[in-house]
Amino acid sequence: MTELKDLNTKEIPTWCPGCGDFMILASIKKAVADMNLNPSEVVVVSGIGCSAGLPHWIETYGFHSIHGRAIPVATGIKLANHGLTVIVVSGDGDGYGIGLNHLIHAMRRNLDITFIGHNNQIYGLTLGQTSPTSTQGAKTVSTPHGSIETPINPLSLGLASGATFVARGYAGNTTQLTDLIVKGTKHRGFALIDVFQPCVTWNKINTFDFFKQRVYDLNSEKFNTSDLNAAFSRCQELGERIPTGLFYQTETDTYSDDLPQLKEKPLVKQNITNVDIKSVLNKYK
Ligand SMILES: Cc1ncc(C[n+]2csc(CCOP(=O)(O)OP(=O)(O)O)c2C)c(N)n1
Ligand code: SF4
Ligand SMILES: [Mg+2]
């Protein structure tokens, strides 16, 4: 039985007091405990950024990789041992900027990974530059006259790229976020969960108050989560009202399902004692 306390680490997070990252960490821990996952069968992978410190503060396996490369690392882990539960935590700069290409390909491959986007609409760790999801007009240290760029919409990107589970959470609603993480992790295939995560230090626009006044639960009304067009149209609603919840889910083969080498058992459990790679190595002598 996995209890919440089993997932606590000796170290405590170094995030600024009040940062939305605390709520995301709490939601991931609660989800792992609620699903009664064995911590030794869970791997949390990150890139670089404030959010990327998270694997240090949950007592599962973890991999704090390099900027934008959490997805390739997670892909390797999943393909080597598809029995593991692999969760990627990534910032908006990390996942939707420098690492965006990897994210798109992981979604179209339908790797069985859960991606949690800590979307604070700013580069937090590097002291407040404009990110790919910063709102147009946002004044930051890198755009003192206001950002002129159209922000990325992670949900429509996920829908267009073939993600089979697309959701939006809000750090201020940990009950809903935990539920989304549970559903996304149980989902067979790529789960994109974008999370509005207020950065209390650098983002003075998208604050907890900002979201509190706007967010509502899409799934509290009759919304058909198997309707791709409806999901596309609904995720554009980013004005006075902002929907959160599950937008889209569909079932199809995962990448591991279709790899003949993985049909019987995970790579790490296969007998490789009879594999002789000398002839291959000789080629490079
Ligand atoms: C290859 C590379 N380029 C740039 C950086 C500098 N850098 C570190 S974190 C970061 C952006 C972090 O923003 P985000 O991913 O949104 O994470 P947050 O800190 O907001 O959680 C950048 C540009 C780096 N570490 N490595
Ligand atoms: S800078 Fe922002 S994102 Fe980073 S820890 Fe502080 S509040 Fe959180
Ligand atoms: Mg960020």
Side-chain angles (χ1 to χ4, degrees), residues 78-96:
K78 190 70 193 182
L79 293 187
N81 189 355
H82 61 274
L84 297 173
T85 297
V86 181
I87 299 172
V88 171
V89 290
S90 186
D92 40 317
D94 190 73
Y96 307 142

Side-chain angles (χ1 to χ4, degrees), residues 51 91-94 118-125 131 133 197 199:
S51 42
D92 40 317
D94 190 73
H118 295 228
N119 187 357
N120 54 15
Q121 300 166 269
I122 201 90
Y123 287 0
L125 188 72
S131 89
T133 54
Q197 173 252 312
C199 164

